[in-house]
Amino acid sequence: MRVLHLLINGDRVTVAAPEHWTLLEVLRYELGLTGSKQGCDKGDCGACTVLVDGKPVLACLTLAALCEERAVTTIEGLLPAHVKSGGSGPDPVQAAFDECGALQCGFCQPGMMLSARALLDRNACPTRTEIQDALAGNLCRCTGYTQIVEAVELAVAKHCGVAPRRPGSARPRGRSRPPPRRA
Amino acid sequence: MKSFTLFNPKSLGDAVGALAAPTSSVKVLAGGQDLLTEMKEHLVEPDKLVNLKGVPGLDRIEFTAAGACTIGALVTVGALEEHAGVRERLRVLAEAAGSVGSPQIRSVGTVGGNLCQRPRCWYYRSEHAKCLKKGGDECFSFSGQNKYNAILGGGPSYIVHPSDLAPALVALGATVTLKCSTGERQVALERFFTLPGEGDIRRETVLRDDEVLTHVHVPAPAAGMQSTYVKFRERGSYDFALASVALALWRDGARVKEARVVLGGVAPIPWRAKAAEAALAGAAFEAATFARAADGAVQGAEGFGQNDYKIPLTKGLVQRALQSCG
């Protein structure tokens, strides 16, 4: 066992965990933060994606013992961080996923939204291709990805005031009204 | 995953010191994006991990005034991809880095780890298959599912080397520094990788258990180099190469002066296609030459059923790489 001093979603936490545990195991089984999903558990699916110092990483392939002194953001931390920075309600990425119905079973969604957040933090107005590249490591077995990419585009459009340019289209394609909400 | 003790040396000396009495139960940890998958599948079960991340000075990319480049082993693949100097001067390497894994893997995986990663052959990766690479007496891909296996340089094992950086770095004539507690050696990257028939079949490189790969050195390319990395993968989002081509090319007007053609995903090592290079040297830079180079690239290639497609695929990629330099 090893005592770890971690910084999770802005909170300093001290936790004892086996030496070989991954960040994902500590998040889920010591801290109860089950938003980070244990999918393949070997780096293929991206469902465990969290941000470490702002970069998307696979929590299943990250040793918790190597995360001390680093800022970890999980899906549970997005809304509090948004509120803390002066916003209200969920992170714009979360709101856009909600508005676009960009989920079915929901298993990939936390990782998707964190990959999208990492992208928008370094590039506030990405192109569709840049969005697709940023989400390349997050697999979804339900949606076919269309609404997921559209959700990120909606978040971008609301932030930048214009829709991202589509490959092959000369002008930005605006959305006249948001797609219907799914039950 | 079996438990282990984690050693966090603060200097390279301490790190290699911990490897000085090597046993198979000590492993070097950098980004961990390959090692942890191996540990989770019980392919390696070290008692101790030597974590390099606390060792200073291994995470830098430095260019000399003359244009030679030294890349620390802990530089992440993402940092390599985004480095302005690498993008401008060593395009083949930036493109190869951008094609590695997913954004999550690139933000953690390191250059050293990418070069030292183990094969992805599913017989090797299955804890239930005791293949040649794991002390067994058979390469199951030969009579089994061989869609992803080698068409060049195989036998008795038919793995392909999974690295994207390796073909690019071989094309650039890179060398690596391997350090142990009693000294260090420089090895040309082309000699770093070993064919299954040449050395220890359980290994893909000459790296010893008591050594750490610390730096990659890329000599200053001769003036006028054009270069590119063309990779074909089964899945568009992210994947290992079914086949790839790293090309470095020097032209003199309408003729090729010199070319380096290195294939990925088709052989147990990054495969220097010398017959393709010979077909290009001194020839007119035109489609007929590209076709001869493509034929040369797969000289001696042999599929065994499900991987036959790699032969025309590789030929197509060689031509595509050359066309993109037009």
Side-chain angles (χ1 to χ4, degrees):
Chain A
M1 296 292 279
R2 190 182 179 106
V3 175
L4 303 172
H5 304 282
L6 302 174
L7 182 59
I8 313 284
N9 298 326
D11 296 330
R12 295 198 175 278
V13 297
T14 301
V15 59
E19 188 110 3
H20 66 288
W21 271 27
T22 62
L23 178 59
L24 182 63
E25 288 168 314
V26 168
L27 290 171
R28 289 180 60 86
Y29 307 125
E30 289 291 342
L31 301 174
L33 295 172
T34 53
S36 305
K37 300 304 179 201
Q38 194 164 20
C40 68
D41 208 31
K42 58 189 177 104
D44 288 336
C45 74
C48 66
T49 300
V50 299
L51 307 185
V52 175
D53 293 338
K55 288 193 169 172
V57 310
L58 299 167
C60 78
L61 293 187
T62 303
L63 293 178
L66 301 182
C67 292
E68 294 189 296
E69 312 300 324
R70 309 187 72 186
V72 177
T73 304
T74 72
I75 193 66
E76 290 89 349
L78 275 195
L79 185 150
H82 182 57
V83 170
K84 201 172 173 183
S85 65
S88 66
D91 184 284
V93 170
Q94 292 174 303
F97 270 66
D98 180 17
E99 207 168 311
C100 293
L103 76 157
Q104 192 167 320
C105 82
F107 197 82
C108 71
Q109 206 184 358
M112 283 283 183
M113 295 196 289
L114 286 163
S115 284
R117 172 42 58 209
L119 168 68
L120 300 188
D121 283 348
R122 66 171 199 277
N123 178 2
C125 295
T127 63
R128 169 165 274 214
T129 304
E130 287 169 334
I131 293 169
Q132 287 168 329
D133 288 347
L135 300 182
N138 295 84
L139 305 191
C140 172
R141 300 292 79 169
C142 305
T143 64
Y145 301 99
T146 303
Q147 289 109 318
I148 291 171
V149 174
E150 286 179 354
V152 183
E153 288 184 318
L154 179 62
V156 170
K158 286 189 170 177
H159 181 83
C160 301
V162 290
R165 196 159 47 82
R166 305 289 171 86
S169 69
R171 293 182 55 229
R173 196 180 84 179
R175 187 191 290 287
S176 54
R177 61 191 168 91
R181 285 180 70 148
R182 304 274 165 96
Chain B
M1 180 159 61
K2 188 173 86 83
S3 194
F4 50 81
T5 57
L6 187 61
F7 176 52
N8 292 302
K10 296 292 173 224
S11 72
L12 194 53
D14 288 348
V16 293
L19 301 171
T23 67
S24 60
S25 68
V26 181
K27 288 281 174 194
V28 174
L29 173 70
Q33 301 300 282
D34 185 45
L35 181 60
L36 291 191
T37 62
E38 285 216 302
M39 290 168 63
K40 286 186 174 201
E41 300 198 44
H42 310 289
L43 303 179
V44 291
E45 299 202 296
D47 294 323
K48 182 176 179 178
L49 290 188
V50 178
N51 170 34
L52 290 185
K53 282 288 187 180
V55 174
L58 296 183
D59 59 353
R60 291 199 289 266
I61 300 173
E62 289 168 321
F63 278 91
T64 65
C69 180
T70 295
I71 303 162
L74 292 185
V75 169
T76 64
V77 177
L80 184 67
E81 173 197 2
E82 288 166 13
H83 190 273
V86 173
R87 294 173 81 103
E88 189 188 318
R89 305 186 207 186
L90 306 171
R91 183 174 155 186
V92 61
L93 185 56
E95 289 180 354
S99 80
V100 171
S102 63
Q104 291 93 321
I105 289 168
R106 294 198 296 276
S107 63
V108 177
T110 64
V111 170
N114 186 276
L115 296 177
C116 296
Q117 66 183 307
R118 302 305 312 279
R120 305 306 303 191
C121 173
W122 49 30
Y123 295 109
Y124 173 73
R125 291 280 162 172
S126 166
E127 57 183 295
H128 306 295
K130 195 174 181 197
C131 73
L132 266 182
K133 282 276 190 199
K134 294 184 288 191
D137 51 18
E138 197 176 346
C139 177
F140 298 112
S141 69
F142 191 72
S143 53
Q145 300 294 318
N146 49 49
K147 179 177 174 185
Y148 302 110
N149 291 83
I151 53 169
L152 286 160
S157 156
Y158 290 86
I159 61 131
V160 295
H161 201 278
S163 172
D164 291 302
L165 301 186
L169 286 165
V170 170
L172 292 168
T175 58
V176 288
T177 300
L178 312 180
K179 194 168 171 56
C180 68
S181 61
T182 53
E184 64 177 49
R185 55 181 174 144
Q186 309 289 330
V187 178
L189 194 60
E190 204 177 340
R191 301 268 164 268
F192 178 68
F193 297 101
T194 54
L195 284 169
E198 284 175 349
D200 182 350
I201 194 150
R202 293 191 184 214
R203 296 166 187 267
E204 294 78 47
T205 70
V206 299
L207 187 73
R208 299 192 311 256
D209 286 339
D210 66 338
E211 287 178 316
V212 173
L213 190 164
T214 61
H215 295 90
V216 179
H217 310 275
V218 181
M225 179 181 76
Q226 290 178 282
S227 73
T228 190
Y229 186 70
V230 180
K231 172 177 175 177
F232 192 87
R233 50 194 170 185
E234 194 167 35
R235 184 172 65 174
S237 56
Y238 78 97
D239 215 337
F240 292 95
L242 294 178
S244 66
V245 176
L247 171 71
L249 184 77
W250 291 264
R251 280 199 281 165
D252 186 2
R255 305 199 85 80
V256 177
K257 256 197 305 197
E258 192 192 338
R260 281 190 168 229
V261 182
V262 186
L263 309 179
V266 294
I269 56 172
W271 187 261
R272 181 103 183 261
K274 289 188 175 162
E277 295 175 4
L280 288 164
F285 187 78
E286 61 185 22
T289 302
F290 303 167
R292 279 193 294 277
D295 287 337
V298 295
Q299 199 176 80
E302 195 178 358
F304 30 90
Q306 296 160 357
N307 63 350
D308 292 350
Y309 71 94
K310 286 194 178 190
I311 296 173
L313 174 62
T314 303
K315 289 173 66 174
L317 294 180
V318 168
Q319 294 180 76
R320 196 180 287 183
L322 286 161
Q323 285 158 3
S324 77
C325 292

